Amino acid sequence: MRYVSTRGAAPILGFGEVLLAGLADDGGLYVPESWPSLAAGGSGDYLVTALEVMSPFVGGAIAPGAFADMVREAYATFESDEVTPLVDLGDGLYLLELFHGPTLAFKDIALQLVGRLFDHELSRRGERVTIVGATSGDTGSAAIDACRDRESMDIVILHPADRVSDVQRRQMTTVPAANVHNVAVEGTFDDCQDLVKAMFADAPFRQRMRLSAVNSINWARVMAQVVYYVVAAERLGGRHVPVSFSVPTGNFGNALAGHAARHMGLEIEQLVIGSNSNDILTRFFTAGTMTLDEVVPTLSPSMDIQVSSNLERLLFELLDRDGAAVAALLDDFRGTGTIVLDPALHATLGDAWSAARFHDDEVLRCIAEEADRSGVVLDPHSAVGVSAARHCRRDHSVPMVALATAHPAKFPDAVESATGVRPDLPERLGDLFDRPERFSRLPNDLAAIQAHVDACVAG
Ligand SMILES: *Cc1c(COP(=O)(O)O)cnc(C)c1O
């Protein structure tokens, strides 16, 4: 498989190069040159389907046996044999639990594989990198767990000091691997992101440290997420039996994987986007315009995002894969802060997508009601997905699968305030609060952070 940029002006690359490149040279995102077709069949077995769905994207870039080993190892870290269990909520509504990985959030599904793919590709090339990232919570711990103890990389994660939950911080700072380095920055999440951007913008530093990232624009992350859409359909009747999905959405990577599954031939009737109060995407799908706004903090912090980077991949398809048109639209957005879609294009979107927004009070009510109705305890992100599923569902004869993206114990305060019961951490994390923490606290100062990264890598 070859990959092209959504802005049409970057070199066409193979899978291994796209994996390590992240962003394309023209500022676009890489997408497959064409969509492979799903064959009929599929038994609902996660590993079998994972290999079948992902192999065409990897093409000849990795030997099939080595790829199969990485897939098997990645999903052996999950607590459930089914990897992503499907829970019946009644009335044709299902919950696909994507949170049984090592850090209890759906990011593990992609990152457990991507960490192994990175290590494989770097070792093959005899290269070593320093992965840097900023996190407001979930991504940092999932990236750390995926990269821990890997020979070909160090990983340095910045989080805002005193502004992530205790569970989230401890999931990062209690990992006892020599290549893992946590920094609590005396500032906000935006400060952390700005520091990471500034490190990448400093070309001599970037080259000396061989900086790299495993962020959500990486194609391999989307690829790994296509699998569970197919698996869910198989478990509900087959790849060619209609099914709908509802996706709590932030950076749009998860939803885009559903879009890819649809392009590959999965019979997805409705793709529903759920937003929290940061509803720029919901407004885009319902009104056809997208206007930049302030980010407001909510109970579902992993969705507190304004500009969803993966939306660019959807725009590329919507604009008939015309990279110049995508670049023009996004330039316009950067200049004016607004995108206005052509009405015909907006109508096309409306056929394929639905969207709804839920504020925190509605999210808490959903958690309480679902606990009463089915006994299932949702985290605030998953509750946005379930709310959107109930609100947008059109045809009740088609099963609707809401994606559950985090374990309720990751957000115990919100869950307790909704249900009155504090959710327990799963057994394997039961001693999280007894494990020793290891992190450095540094000022919001680029020179200090760079000196620290340098020392981490040298050490
Ligand atoms: C990252 C994340 C999301 C949002 O997923 P996107 O792919 O960014 O849209 C939703 N819920 C949780 C718990 C997450 O960690």
Side-chain angles (χ1 to χ4, degrees):
M1 177 68 75
R2 304 194 316 157
Y3 291 83
V4 298
S5 164
T6 49
R7 300 198 191 168
I12 294 176
L13 301 181
F15 179 80
E17 296 162 304
V18 163
L19 176 72
L20 299 184
L23 210 63
D25 279 352
D26 58 2
L29 310 189
Y30 277 105
V31 288
E33 198 169 39
S34 61
W35 294 105
S37 302
L38 281 173
S43 64
D45 181 282
Y46 200 93
L47 291 184
V48 172
T49 298
L51 281 180
E52 187 193 332
V53 167
M54 292 192 285
S55 291
F57 292 116
V58 175
I62 301 174
F67 184 59
D69 287 345
M70 284 185 263
V71 171
R72 191 172 332 102
E73 285 168 22
Y75 299 110
T77 67
F78 279 60
E79 200 81 310
S80 163
D81 289 341
E82 295 171 290
V83 183
T84 55
L86 191 63
V87 175
D88 190 348
L89 297 180
D91 188 29
L93 187 63
Y94 297 83
L95 195 68
L96 187 66
E97 295 184 344
L98 305 179
F99 54 70
H100 293 280
T103 74
L104 312 181
F106 98 104
K107 302 219 165 38
D108 288 326
I109 293 186
L111 285 168
Q112 283 296 322
L113 183 64
V114 168
R116 288 169 171 81
L117 290 168
F118 253 67
D119 201 35
H120 179 88
E121 184 65 16
L122 289 166
S123 306
R124 194 180 67 74
R125 296 172 179 222
E127 291 175 11
R128 197 182 157 78
V129 297
T130 308
I131 292 182
V132 294
T135 189
S136 56
D138 285 346
T139 315
S141 53
I144 284 171
D145 205 278
C147 296
R148 63 188 291 176
D149 296 317
R150 302 208 180 280
E151 297 274 315
S152 59
M153 57 188 88
D154 279 286
I155 177 163
V156 183
I157 295 292
L158 313 185
H159 71 263
D162 310 321
R163 292 180 199 231
V164 299
S165 77
D166 288 348
V167 173
Q168 288 179 321
R169 187 191 67 250
R170 285 183 160 273
Q171 282 188 303
M172 298 190 279
T173 60
T174 60
V175 174
N179 71 332
V180 169
H181 314 280
N182 279 288
V183 181
V185 176
E186 289 166 347
T188 62
F189 171 56
D190 285 338
D191 294 330
C192 295
Q193 274 191 312
D194 289 344
L195 288 164
V196 169
K197 278 190 202 142
M199 284 193 269
F200 273 98
D202 178 344
F205 182 77
R206 182 179 74 225
Q207 283 152 17
R208 191 156 46 84
M209 294 290 116
R210 302 191 158 276
L211 292 193
S212 182
V214 288
N215 46 27
S216 73
I217 57 159
N218 198 297
W219 166 256
R221 282 182 61 174
V222 177
M223 169 188 85
Q225 293 171 179
V226 175
V227 174
Y228 49 74
Y229 285 90
V230 181
V231 168
E234 290 170 359
R235 291 181 186 160
L236 285 171
R239 293 177 181 176
H240 299 298
V241 179
V243 54
S244 296
F245 289 92
S246 176
V247 191
T249 299
N251 230 334
F252 203 68
N254 199 356
L256 190 95
H259 184 67
R262 196 181 231 170
H263 271 290
M264 293 169 72
L266 200 69
E267 283 286 320
I268 300 181
E269 176 103 355
Q270 260 187 294
L271 257 178
V272 178
I273 298 301
S275 306
N276 63 23
S277 302
N278 298 292
D279 63 349
I280 184 170
L281 274 177
T282 290
R283 287 182 280 125
F284 177 66
F285 283 103
T286 53
T289 58
M290 187 158 95
T291 306
L292 211 51
D293 222 329
E294 290 287 294
V295 178
V296 300
T298 71
L299 295 174
S300 42
S302 300
M303 295 157 56
D304 290 346
I305 290 174
Q306 277 296 326
V307 181
S308 304
S309 37
N310 271 298
L311 189 68
E312 180 162 345
R313 289 187 163 116
L314 178 68
L315 294 175
F316 184 65
E317 300 295 343
L318 195 65
L319 296 171
D320 271 335
R321 302 200 140 218
D322 178 348
V326 173
L329 191 67
L330 292 171
D331 273 350
D332 203 24
F333 182 59
R334 208 160 305 114
T336 63
T338 301
I339 284 180
V340 181
L341 266 191
D342 176 272
L345 290 181
H346 180 227
T348 314
L349 266 191
D351 292 338
W353 298 83
S354 317
R357 176 254 291 134
F358 301 90
H359 295 303
D360 281 348
D361 57 333
E362 299 167 292
V363 167
L364 291 173
R365 211 175 313 132
C366 170
I367 296 173
E369 282 172 4
E370 198 56 58
D372 275 348
R373 187 171 9 215
S374 62
V376 172
V377 178
L378 301 170
D379 98 288
H381 303 78
S382 308
V384 170
V386 168
S387 299
R390 290 194 187 280
H391 183 82
C392 295
R393 196 169 175 198
R394 285 196 293 249
D395 180 349
H396 282 251
S397 69
V398 175
M400 168 69 82
V401 179
L403 303 187
T405 52
H407 191 288
K410 264 200 116 149
F411 300 93
D413 296 335
V415 173
E416 186 175 9
S417 82
T419 64
V421 180
R422 201 167 178 82
D424 287 331
L425 281 169
E427 201 165 322
R428 67 163 142 181
L429 282 173
D431 66 346
L432 186 66
F433 283 83
D434 304 325
R435 297 180 195 167
E437 288 192 80
R438 195 169 51 88
F439 66 97
S440 308
R441 191 178 170 109
L442 293 176
N444 174 17
D445 174 71
L446 181 61
I449 304 281
Q450 285 182 315
H452 183 74
V453 172
D454 215 326
C456 288
V457 173

